[in-house]
Amino acid sequence: NAGVTQTPKFQVLKTGQSMTLQCAQDMNHNSMYWYRQDPGMGLRLIYYSASEGTTDKGEVPNGYNVSRLNKREFSLRLESAAPSQTSVYFCASSIRDWDNEQFFGPGTRLTVL
Amino acid sequence: DAKTTQPPSMDCAEGRAANLPCNHSTISGNEYVYWYRQIHSQGPQYIIHGLKNNETNEMASLIITEDRKSSTLILPHATLRDTAVYYCIVLIQGAQKLVFGQGTRLTINP
């Protein structure tokens, strides 16, 4: 099993550009999450999907949209990137909703100029 | 979620047991102790969790004091690959959101 995979690994955007971060898991997990990690800030939850067909806002959803395309895939879209969105983005999954044992992907390092 | 306190850094010799402490004096009865680690430039990795009994898995052991106000994560035979930041997190089952504090930066020395 590949676990949780994320693409791309690195990305540089200009302010105002849009892009979609892709995440996929092959563990048949029901729940998926998007976090961002900034230096000295720890992880902050952006959006999560408790199960296929549902999405909910997390702690810092502004400026982002998500799509749970199917059980395997959960994408994060930046419609108009801002320098404040420069961060490392992690996707995670868990077997079920309300499960604190989460499996993380390798991350996407995004820089917005 | 209860607040946790961890030492900012620790060193351990390769092959020895690494004992990482965590204080969580305000833990409530329905809160679990979770441990994650993050190796440099990688995503966080779940290690172990417990409520009040000691737990052991293939990665580590978790010792929780009887009053549940503190715990210790034990890596029995540390290797260089165990060098990472270790996070102790206290939260209820089903919290969904993981909140990482500053953690302990563990360095395993050859």
Side-chain angles (χ1 to χ4, degrees):
Chain A
N1 288 349
V4 179
T5 57
Q6 293 184 237
T7 54
K9 286 188 168 53
F10 301 93
Q11 184 71 49
V12 178
L13 293 178
K14 294 181 180 177
T15 296
Q17 287 185 315
S18 61
M19 79 160 295
T20 299
L21 281 64
Q22 306 288 352
C23 173
Q25 52 88 12
D26 63 359
M27 297 174 284
N28 201 34
H29 285 177
N30 288 309
S31 302
M32 298 184 74
Y33 313 81
W34 275 105
Y35 292 89
R36 61 178 288 175
Q37 186 173 37
D38 303 306
M41 295 286 292
L43 286 179
R44 290 186 290 172
L45 183 65
I46 305 171
Y47 270 93
Y48 65 97
S49 171
S51 61
E52 186 178 354
T54 68
T55 61
D56 285 286
K57 295 178 180 179
E59 189 180 354
V60 288
N62 291 344
Y64 305 95
N65 284 302
V66 290
S67 295
R68 184 73 183 268
L69 305 170
N70 47 54
K71 191 171 185 179
R72 291 187 64 250
E73 298 171 288
F74 189 38
S75 62
L76 179 72
R77 182 161 177 83
L78 286 70
E79 290 291 351
S80 178
S84 60
Q85 294 178 305
T86 293
S87 188
V88 180
Y89 291 84
F90 290 104
C91 177
S93 69
S94 63
I95 293 174
R96 66 189 72 80
D97 187 11
W98 308 110
D99 193 336
N100 295 328
E101 183 181 343
Q102 297 182 11
F103 296 78
F104 284 79
T108 293
R109 282 149 185 79
L110 175 67
T111 301
V112 183
L113 302 175
Chain B
D1 298 332
K3 180 177 168 55
T4 61
T5 303
Q6 299 178 253
S9 64
M10 293 182 64
D11 284 88
C12 180
E14 188 178 19
R16 305 297 291 266
N19 296 282
L20 292 92
C22 180
N23 286 322
H24 31 79
S25 58
T26 60
I27 192 170
S28 60
N30 63 346
E31 287 183 313
Y32 288 70
V33 180
Y34 277 76
W35 283 83
Y36 276 78
R37 72 180 182 184
Q38 189 169 21
I39 296 169
H40 182 62
S41 297
Q42 295 184 21
Q45 179 187 22
Y46 165 83
I47 301 173
I48 198 168
H49 75 278
L51 182 62
K52 53 185 176 182
N53 296 324
N54 297 338
E55 302 287 345
T56 296
N57 63 20
E58 65 278 4
M59 288 184 68
S61 295
L62 174 61
I63 308 297
I64 302 174
T65 58
E66 194 167 343
D67 63 7
R68 303 209 320 125
K69 292 185 176 181
S70 66
S71 60
T72 301
L73 178 75
I74 301 172
L75 307 178
H77 305 287
T79 71
L80 298 178
R81 287 175 294 182
D82 291 322
T83 292
V85 179
Y86 286 77
Y87 298 96
C88 169
I89 307 168
V90 170
L91 70 175
I92 61 171
Q93 203 69 292
Q96 289 188 324
K97 180 180 71 174
L98 297 178
V99 179
F100 287 21
Q102 297 304 308
T104 296
R105 184 172 298 278
L106 175 67
T107 302
I108 306 301
N109 299 308

